[in-house]
Amino acid sequence: MISHQKHPVQAVIFDVDGTLLDSVDEHAMAWVDAFHDYGHRVCFEEVRRQIGKGGDQLMPIFMTREEIDEYGEALESERLRIMKERYLPLIKPFRDVRALLERVRADGKQIALASSATRDDLATYKRIANIEDLVNVETSSDDAKRSKPYPDIFQAALDRLGGLAADRCIAVGDTPYDAEAAAKAGMRSIGLLCGGWSAEDLKRSGCIAVYKDPADLLALYGVSPFACSVYATFPQV
């Protein structure tokens, strides 16, 4: 696959769930449990394919506008409680997450996190991933009116990076929602398969390169979009 890279990368903006943390199943189960508590029978696989969005974009898939207005806020609070009590202890980072971010920092690039999680949850996830000291800036659902696939969270990250031009940044995510949001913010994106989407899904959504997981991206770092500043062929999945 030939991908066009016109400018050197100065910052990398990482999604968190499904990209740095093996947490997609846990988030899906927390939503399933919360929906069940409010009388909604939903399919785990259908919910799982919505993970990567925030609650503002996920709930309308399974609830009517009237239901959201009546008890959507309470349902999401219940989902957060369930996540912390039942599923948070099960979450682990993918292999070589810290090593990948260390390589990015050693390469002189800034690191941002752009997650649909809340600010408090994002702090917890950084501790789990052992990357607290490697992140320059971060944005969460608290910093955006709309979650992915809208670009708000990525645009907030660009602002916190000092208004760095979008074409000098690259996003890394595991879902089509990440790629779509990055494109709307004017950024290129790399896709990782560890969140459960296929390479075809990610490429079709705009990813210029796709890798298995953070370890695979680290192994191919020198020939990835991170390192190439001219037209290049990126070895990938």
Side-chain angles (χ1 to χ4, degrees), residues 175-237:
T175 72
Y177 315 124
D178 296 306
E180 291 166 17
K184 291 171 185 174
M187 289 187 291
R188 296 152 292 168
S189 61
I190 289 173
L192 301 183
L193 300 177
C194 44
W197 290 85
S198 71
E200 291 73 22
D201 288 327
L202 296 174
K203 291 174 183 176
R204 187 163 50 245
S205 299
C207 291
I208 63 171
V210 176
Y211 301 89
K212 294 177 182 177
D213 53 23
D216 187 39
L217 178 52
L218 176 62
L220 293 169
Y221 187 98
V223 288
S224 75
F226 290 163
C228 301
S229 59
V230 296
Y231 295 121
T233 300
F234 306 131
Q236 56 184 294
V237 173

Side-chain angles (χ1 to χ4, degrees), residues 35-50:
F35 279 128
H36 181 273
D37 290 348
Y38 279 82
H40 292 267
R41 299 294 186 267
V42 295
C43 172
F44 169 81
E45 288 300 333
E46 291 178 358
V47 175
R48 195 186 192 285
R49 288 186 70 82
Q50 301 301 320

Side-chain angles (χ1 to χ4, degrees), residues 7-70:
H7 302 293
V9 176
Q10 295 181 340
V12 181
I13 304 178
F14 288 95
D15 171 59
V16 178
D17 288 303
T19 299
L20 304 180
L21 295 180
D22 189 359
S23 57
V24 176
D25 285 354
E26 287 75 16
H27 281 289
M29 282 306 306
W31 276 111
V32 170
D33 292 355
F35 279 128
H36 181 273
D37 290 348
Y38 279 82
H40 292 267
R41 299 294 186 267
V42 295
C43 172
F44 169 81
E45 288 300 333
E46 291 178 358
V47 175
R48 195 186 192 285
R49 288 186 70 82
Q50 301 301 320
I51 300 301
K53 299 177 178 180
D56 63 313
Q57 302 301 313
L58 185 149
M59 284 192 290
I61 303 296
F62 303 100
M63 301 168 66
T64 66
R65 182 73 260 171
E66 292 73 21
E67 289 168 338
I68 293 171
D69 290 342
E70 181 181 352

Side-chain angles (χ1 to χ4, degrees), residues 120-146:
D120 289 344
D121 286 345
L122 185 55
T124 299
Y125 298 156
K126 286 193 298 179
R127 290 195 294 272
I128 293 172
N130 188 27
I131 58 172
E132 293 171 283
D133 58 321
L134 299 176
V135 177
N136 297 105
V137 303
E138 62 191 57
T139 55
S140 67
S141 60
D142 300 291
D143 304 304
K145 182 178 180 180
R146 303 168 299 181

